[in-house]
Structures are given as structure tokens and as C-alpha cells.
Amino acid sequence: MSRFLPLYKREFFAYFRAPIAYVFIVIFLVASLAFPFYLGGFYESNTASLQSFFSFLPSLYLVLVPAVGMRLWAEERRNGTIELLFTLPVTTTETVLAKFAAGWTFLGIALALTFPIVITVNYLGEPDNGVILGGYVGSFLLAGAYLAITCFTSALTKSQVVAFVLSALAGFILLLLGWGVFTELLAQALPYWLVDFISLLGFLPHYSPINHGLIDSRDLMYFISFIAAALTLNGYVIGKRKTA
Amino acid sequence: MKRSQLLFFFFVSLVSLNIIGYQFYTRFDITEDRIYTLTPETQKIISTLPQPITVKFFFSRSLKELPILTKTYASRVEGLLNEYATRSQHKITLEVIDPKPDSAAEELATQYGLTPGHLPSGESVFFGAVFLRGAKSSLIPLFDQRNEQFLEYEVSQAIVKLKNEKRIQLGILSNLPVLGSDTPFTLPGVTKPAWVFAAELRRRFDVVSVPSNTTEIDKALDILLVLHPKRLTEKTEYAIDQYLLNGGKVMAIVDPFSSLERRQRPEDPKYLEGRLPNVSSSLPNLFAAWGIEYEAERVIGDLTNASQVHTLSGVESISPFFLALNRENLNQNSPITKQLNHLLFIYSGAISKKQDSPYEFQPLIQSSKDATPIDSVLASVIQQQELAKQVKENGGHRYLAGLLEGTFETAFPKGPKEEESAFGGRLPLPRPGKAVAQKLAPGHLAKAKQVGRVLIVADTDFLVDENTSQKAMQGEHIVVKPINDNLRFLMNAAEILGGQDELIAIRGRGQIARPFLRVQALQKQAQLRWQKEEGLLSKRINELQTKLNELQSQKLQSNATALSPEQVAEVQKFRKEEAQAKARLREVRKILREDIEKLGTQLAFANLFFVPFGVSVFGFVFFRRRQQRARRRKLA
């Protein structure tokens, strides 16, 4: 695994060499902080909690995370540097993990830079900081899940745009699966246990409890399994290209 | 291909792992209030159960149109009940039942007394639990998601009900229809429901009504709650006195000004006579004997704990008589108050113990140091805003509630006096000159044989429904949600007095709300500023008005037909000043809101600007340096 670290560093710093990274962070910060203030009624609610902040993240990630991950594989394929990558004495697994980890760290940094709102809410009142911590843990995992999808779609195509669209679409479906109105529609046609199962495939039923401060091993397992599954698909596709 | 087969197996195993994980899981509660973990007090309750308890959890899981929020809440409830079962060392067993329509299980649910909720489509949803111990049972008829933070309390309460052999007997002595009324004056079949606090008491204790003209109080009662006692006969006070000396516990809730009563008696004939009805209550003989000082005509105004009031015209103002009490007003050493956070007292009085009283007085609730007692008669007639001006800063702390303890002596050493008859004439008295040996009933106690306790609270409005909870309709049911800790305060006190205080710590969990304290502080500051300005401006306007009137009357007296030019000029000047003052008043009102909005804007700006700006600068600098390095390399 000693080859993982240099790979990871390469990928991670690659983010910061392009201006797009800074643009992304600024857009993410402005959007994620503007929504609660101007759409979510954070200040008017007179409640010392960051629920209005966290509730917008799933929708925000839907659009922004694919923008972060779309270049991971698609760019290399387009530039042809992917062949170079294959000649290096690194396994597919290491490359897949390194790229994902780099993207995830980047998203983690962007998330951490939202700290002003934590300071704000603590200045205004006395929130439950345990719940807020839970919200950040959940958001970080959620970002990882979205990113894993994007890694997979990025490996499928040379075009970053296609990767973006596919990833956003997949994310949208997964978001929808856990959404109340949709599951109620499903329930008209399908037996209840199937509907329950399907809705548990979605993000929200697993994101929501962590958001409220309850870290359930089942939800952790969901996110880890999901990321593992998506990255495995990612590796599978790359492996095929390698041997092709 | 072998690889795709591997992939397939991998996915199947992931899914299976998750499905298995659904049965065997653990949870970590990282909330500050620990709302998802069992408190140590609950732990104690369930590990000391004398007999096993079965919990039947009914939830209509398979109903088609069940909203997802209800489903997720139900799984949290089941999770919590599971926690109870796992940590009870096999004393608690949990059964999960899905009462499908027209099934035996549904009949069972109805038999037990579970009340179904209703979906918009009309279907019934069962979502409750029955706790069984032998032949005894206790019930949570319907779990309400809005009271999620009290979930553990509800469950532990149901278990405690089963655990204790004996339920506390609580008697309520009051003229207020707290237990619901079925009086001859209402239409038959129309019953007014019991007050929320009484319903809450009923859930925990066996509650009976004690007539307010009673002459003897059943010794079997563990607690006597005397609520708003108005001019009790000496015989009734004597009955309370003897009950206390015989080991009974008393909760004496009095009030110098019951705003409830005040609102409800506009048709009282006394109004028509120009007199104000008395809306106060007291226990004069008992308080005197106990060494308790209580002024039944004075209400407490407190500038620091003043809270918002919505007046009839929809205008919000801050009244120093609506006391919003916080932790700093509550005794942190008493189990009754130490876990409470917010109480609301309205037009409360104050109590204190005289120096020479032999009993111990533990204050439970006190005002801030900016409290002033105001004559309650004024409170009836003067506009609230006028009255508020009489409240001064640094008036000193006042106690609003406390616990009196000691070996009590009777307040009626010679027994109670005979009272005037209803017709105003005195009952025949013995001829003057002859001493009457007042006969004391056998069993009269002059002094208690054990230490007694009395809770004294100087406000009754804190128990009125609109001041304790919010009611909302959920389908056909009215769901009640507490808006502060008033109910908790009463329940804690009753449990401490009754000696079954296992639930107090659990009840204290889960803060009601976490408001923006800084915004509230700003509002209060602004309101005080405004009141000062408004006072000055109103005074000015009044002065101008008086002057104008004077001019008018001068004119009349001098029999002039018109005003002289000087007078006209004066009138114009006054009118102008009046308009200016009124405009200023409106402006001051606007400024009130602006400060708060300004804070919001500043915060939004700070959040949206600083870090993104920092990142942009960082990025910019970073790129400049790279460019420079690249240029240098080119030149080299």
C-alpha cells in the first residue's frame, strides 16, 4: 500500500492546480450558506439548530459533487494519460482508492470551510453541538456516496460532461428513492415490504438519523457498502479497459 | 466471464450483509441531551423490576398509505423499546404486532384501549404500546412524533405505573373546574375536558375531587392540592390543617391575581356596581400560623424576566408581569427544580418566611433582582403599559414558590370558628359574658407526630392550559404539547411530596426549545428603550392635549366667538408638535425591529463573505506564485 500515498497526493494536489477547484469551493460555500439564510429561514426560525443548513446539502451535492469527481477518470482517458497510469507498477485497486480518497478529502475540506455557520449558531444561542457534529459526519458520508457514483460514471466515458450527467441522474434517483411522496406513490402498486426495501436503498433514510445525532451501525454500513459497491464497479470498468 | 460472476457475488454478499446487519445493530447517541440513550434513572427502574413485564408494541406497519415519517419514527420507537428489553436483564420482553384490519390482533389492540390515528384516506393506524404485568396493565394509546423528546419519559412512566404497588392518591380542592365540568349549566352531553395539568396528574396518580366546603379531608389521600382557595371557611382551613398534621402533604397554590378569573367574569354583578371582583386567593389562617408572609393584593413586576405578550390587537409588547423564568431563577439544589429550564408565571405574588417562624423554608423559584410588588387593584384597571412603568429596577429578589418543612403545630388551637350563615346573620351566639368552651373534636391534633411538607406557589395562572401547552388537531384527536416546564414543575413537586420520584430525572430530559438567546436579549433591550421613549412622548402628547383643551375653555369662558390671532398661532404650534411627537413614536417602533434585522443581515454577510473571500484570495495568490515560478523557469 506504500504506492497508495504518492498516488493519493498526486490526485489531491492536482485539484488545486486548476482554478476550477477554487471556483467550486466558493460556489459551494456561498450556496450552502445562502440557502439556509435566504431560503430556509434560518435566522427567522429563532431556533439554534443547523437543520436548515443540513437539509439543503443532499440537493446541493447532487449538482456539485459530480462536478468535483467528473474529471477523475474521464480527463485521463481523454488526455491519454491513462495508458501512462497503466504502465505504472500500481494496482487498479490502489488507483481507484487513491482517486476516490483525493476527491473525498477535497469535499471534506470544502465542508469544513462552512465552519462560520457553526460559530454563528453558537453565538446566537445554545445549540446541541452533538447533533451538529452528527450532521457533519452524515454530510461527509453522503458526499462520499455521491462521489463514488461519479467515480464510476467518470470511468465509463471520455467526456466529463457525460460523466456529470450520468452521475447527477443516478444521484437524483437515489435521492428520490428515500423521498416520502415517491415511496407513497410506490406503495399504491407494490407490497409494503418491497417498498420499504426500495426506500432503504435511497440516501435520505440513512442520512436523516445521523443528522439528528443518532449514529446507527446500519446507516454506517449502508454508506460504506454503497461506496464499496460503486468503487468496485469503478475498478471493474477500469480493469476491463486495461486488459482490452 | 469469471470476473462478472465475482462482481455479482460481491453485490449479493453486500446486500445480504446489510440485511443481516438490520437484525444485529448498535447505536451511538451523540446528542448533548442524549435523547436516544436510556438515562441511568430508567436503567435503575428496569433493573429493579419485581416481576417480568411484557410490552406489546402495536404498529400498523403494512398499511399502504403510511407516511414515511411515521414509518421511520415507528422504527425509532421500536428501537427504544428494544433497548428497554435488552437492558432489563430479561425482565422485559418485547412483542411487535401488526394489527391488520379485521384481524384478531386488531381486536386485541382495541380491547386494550389503543386509540388509532387516522390517515387522510380514512384508514386507522395503530401506533401504541401496552405494558402488562400479570393482570395489571398500563398503556400508551398513541405515540405522537411531536413529543419524540419525551418518548423515554412516557415509556418509563408506563413501566413505573406497573411497578409500584400503590398509586399515589391525590385530592384537588378547588373552585376552578380543573377536572372537567359536567355542571347543570352546560348542555347535557357537553363536557368540558379536564385541564391539561389535571389530565397529566391523572395519568400518574389516582385523582379525586375534594369539595371546597369540606370539613374533613380523607386521611387516605397522600397529597392534597389546594388550588386558588377563595375565602375558605375556617372549618375547611381547619380540615387542611389537621390533614397536614396527620401526615398528609399539601400543595397550596394561591394567587393575588388570577388572570383567568379576571377574564371570565365580565357579567359579574359587582362590575356593574362599579366594584371590582376579587380574583385573589389565600389561606390566611394557615399562612399566618406557618409564618408565611404573602400579600394577597400585590403582584410582582420583574423587568429582567419580562416576556412577550400578544395583545388582542395583535400587537406584541413585553410585560413585566408575564414572568419568563430561567435556570438562574430556579433552585439548583432541589430535585424539583434543578432540571427545569423555562417556566412562565403570570401576575404572580410573592411569599417569604417570617423571621420568627419555626419552620424551614426552601425557596424553589425566585424573581430577578429587578422585581417590584405592585398593587393588584391597579392591575385590574390600568392599562398594562402604564402599570409596567411602576416596576423599578433593583427592587430586590422575591420568592415565587417554595417548600415549607417542619413539625407543624395546629393553626387552630381552639378549633375553627363557626361561620356567618348565608343570610348574613350570625348564628345564635351564647349570651355575652359566658365563656364558651369550644369543643374540639376528638382526634384533634395540636402538633404533628412527624415532619410535614407544604409546597407553596404564589401563582395559579401557570397551570392554565394556554400557559402550559399547545393543542393541535391530529385527525380526530387533540394532541397536546408542552410549551414550557410548568407541567414538569408540578409533576416533580407532586412526586417528591408523594415519595415516588423515580421519574423526575427522566422528565427533565430534552430541552423544549433552543431559541436564539442573543436575539431575545436584543428584543428585550429594544423594548425597554422603546418603553422609555414612548413614555416620554406620550407624556408630551398629553401635555399638548391639555394645553389645547385649556385654550378651548378659555375661549368659551371669554365668550369670544373666535380665537385671537395669538391663540390661533398657539394652536397651530401645538398641533405641529403633536404631529411630530406621534411621528417620532412610529419611528421608534420601527427602530425596534431594525436592530434585530440588522444583526441577521450582518451575520448572513459574515458567513457568505469571509471564507469564500479568503479562499479566492488564497487561490489568486497561489496562481500568481505559480505563474511567477513558471516565468522564472522560462527565463532561466
Side-chain angles (χ1 to χ4, degrees), chain B residues 454-508:
Chain B
V454 182
L455 173 81
I456 309 179
V457 184
D459 182 38
T460 59
D461 292 305
F462 85 99
L463 289 177
V464 174
D465 280 1
E466 70 197 15
N467 301 323
T468 59
S469 35
Q470 220 175 45
K471 293 187 189 162
M473 296 298 294
Q474 195 193 44
E476 297 174 347
H477 295 279
I478 301 177
V479 168
V480 172
K481 191 167 149 73
I483 53 177
N484 51 39
D485 292 323
N486 286 6
L487 289 176
R488 275 189 191 158
F489 170 64
L490 186 75
M491 295 303 292
N492 286 358
E495 283 181 349
I496 289 278
L497 286 182
Q500 283 181 4
D501 51 355
E502 297 151 298
L503 291 174
I504 289 187
I506 310 172
R507 185 180 291 127

Side-chain angles (χ1 to χ4, degrees), chain B residues 248-461:
Chain B
K249 309 286 188 298
V250 177
M251 294 169 75
I253 305 185
V254 297
D255 203 338
F257 187 85
S258 158
S259 37
L260 178 73
E261 241 199 310
R262 175 77 175 79
R263 287 202 312 254
Q264 282 181 347
R265 298 178 29 172
E267 70 281 359
D268 195 297
K270 290 209 183 84
Y271 272 99
L272 306 173
E273 288 172 26
R275 275 196 291 167
L276 291 165
N278 185 318
V279 292
S280 72
S281 58
S282 175
L283 293 169
N285 294 298
L286 292 174
F287 282 166
W290 294 338
I292 290 289
E293 269 191 33
Y294 159 70
E295 291 176 275
E297 296 91 34
R298 310 260 262 170
V299 291
I300 299 297
D302 184 342
L303 288 174
T304 309
N305 291 116
S307 76
Q308 285 199 328
V309 183
H310 299 275
T311 60
L312 289 167
S313 49
V315 170
E316 278 184 19
S317 70
I318 294 193
S319 167
F321 300 104
F322 283 63
L323 308 175
L325 303 161
N326 303 306
R327 292 187 79 109
E328 56 223 15
N329 305 107
L330 304 174
N331 189 333
Q332 295 301 312
N333 291 320
S334 167
I336 299 178
T337 40
K338 76 174 174 200
Q339 289 190 327
L340 304 180
N341 293 299
H342 302 293
L343 294 178
L344 177 65
F345 272 39
I346 298 177
Y347 286 105
S348 169
I351 51 179
S352 61
K353 191 192 77 141
K354 291 208 193 96
Q355 294 277 27
D356 54 2
S357 162
Y359 309 116
E360 260 189 56
F361 181 70
Q362 184 192 34
L364 292 174
I365 305 175
Q366 79 173 5
S367 69
S368 75
K369 62 173 179 37
D370 299 319
T372 319
I374 307 278
D375 200 313
S376 59
V377 173
L378 292 181
S380 275
V381 292
I382 299 186
Q383 278 273 27
Q384 212 197 76
Q385 285 167 345
E386 282 293 317
L387 200 60
K389 291 175 197 162
Q390 297 207 9
V391 181
K392 304 277 176 283
E393 283 183 292
N394 286 314
H397 289 284
R398 296 283 191 280
Y399 299 130
L400 310 178
L403 206 55
L404 194 66
E405 207 175 285
T407 317
F408 288 94
E409 290 183 14
T410 183
F412 301 92
K414 297 213 188 80
K417 286 210 288 267
E418 298 289 341
E419 286 293 306
E420 288 182 3
S421 77
F423 298 104
R426 282 204 167 269
L427 293 171
L429 288 178
R431 277 186 290 272
K434 217 173 173 181
V436 179
Q438 254 176 304
K439 281 224 305 267
L440 293 173
H444 165 93
L445 284 179
K447 189 168 171 153
K449 299 200 190 80
Q450 68 278 303
V451 172
R453 285 166 122 182
V454 182
L455 173 81
I456 309 179
V457 184
D459 182 38
T460 59
D461 292 305

Side-chain angles (χ1 to χ4, degrees), chain A residues 17 22 30 33 43 46 48 116-117 120 123-124 126 128-130 187 196 200 212-213 215 217 221 225 229 232, chain B residues 10-11 17-18 22 25-26 28 30-32 64 71 514-518 596 600 607-608 611 622-623 626:
Chain A
R17 285 193 203 105
Y22 303 93
V30 171
L33 294 174
Y43 188 66
N46 198 25
I117 202 166
T120 305
Y123 168 76
L124 285 174
E126 288 172 3
D128 186 333
N129 283 307
D196 277 352
L200 284 175
H212 288 93
I215 300 192
S217 64
M221 217 160 92
S225 315
T232 310
Chain B
F10 177 67
F11 282 115
L17 204 64
N18 269 281
Y22 242 72
Y25 64 91
T26 59
F28 301 102
I30 58 175
T31 60
E32 272 176 1
K64 271 193 181 300
K71 278 198 220 181
R514 294 176 183 260
F516 283 155
L517 300 170
R518 214 160 278 265
I596 293 167
N607 274 287
L608 289 175
V611 179
F622 187 71
F623 273 105
R626 284 193 69 203

Side-chain angles (χ1 to χ4, degrees), chain A residues 16-20 22 25-26 29-31 33-34 37-38 42-49 113-118 120-131 133-135 137 177-181 183-184 187-192 195-197 199-200 205-206 208-210 212-222 224-226 228-230 232-233 235-236 239-240 243, chain B residues 1-7 10-11 14-37 61-69 71-72 75-76 79 98 100 148 327 511 513-520 522-523 593 595-620 622-623 626:
Chain A
F16 293 99
R17 285 193 203 105
I20 188 90
Y22 303 93
I25 292 185
V26 170
L29 289 178
V30 171
L33 294 174
F37 271 103
Y38 296 111
F42 167 68
Y43 188 66
E44 290 78 7
S45 74
N46 198 25
T47 306
S49 117
L113 287 174
T114 59
F115 70 87
I117 202 166
V118 179
T120 305
V121 80
N122 271 289
Y123 168 76
L124 285 174
E126 288 172 3
D128 186 333
N129 283 307
V131 173
L133 179 65
V137 170
L177 286 179
W179 189 42
V181 179
T183 47
E184 281 166 35
Q188 304 293 339
L190 300 171
Y192 79 93
V195 176
D196 277 352
F197 179 71
S199 68
L200 284 175
H206 298 278
S208 176
I210 306 185
H212 288 93
L214 184 61
I215 300 192
D216 192 321
S217 64
R218 296 173 291 183
D219 298 322
L220 288 179
M221 217 160 92
Y222 168 82
I224 294 175
S225 315
F226 187 88
T232 310
L233 280 175
Y236 179 71
K240 283 193 94 167
T243 56
Chain B
M1 277 216 55
K2 200 141 185 264
R3 285 197 79 204
S4 39
Q5 279 177 340
L6 264 177
L7 202 63
F10 177 67
F11 282 115
L14 262 189
V15 174
S16 327
L17 204 64
N18 269 281
I19 293 179
I20 294 173
Y22 242 72
Q23 296 305 314
F24 307 101
Y25 64 91
T26 59
R27 310 186 319 172
F28 301 102
D29 179 349
I30 58 175
T31 60
E32 272 176 1
D33 292 330
R34 287 268 175 278
I35 52 185
Y36 298 108
T37 354
R61 168 171 286 115
S62 55
L63 210 55
K64 271 193 181 300
E65 286 100 8
L66 217 49
I68 198 169
L69 281 179
K71 278 198 220 181
T72 39
S75 76
R76 287 205 290 281
D98 178 0
K100 297 203 175 78
E148 180 169 0
R327 292 187 79 109
Q511 281 205 330
R514 294 176 183 260
F516 283 155
L517 300 170
R518 214 160 278 265
V519 173
Q520 283 187 337
L522 273 185
Q523 275 174 333
R593 285 230 55 79
D595 272 348
I596 293 167
E597 280 171 7
K598 200 168 77 169
L599 178 65
T601 320
Q602 282 174 339
L603 285 173
F605 181 73
N607 274 287
L608 289 175
F609 181 73
F610 283 115
V611 179
F613 182 70
V615 169
S616 314
V617 166
F618 176 77
F620 186 68
F622 187 71
F623 273 105
R626 284 193 69 203

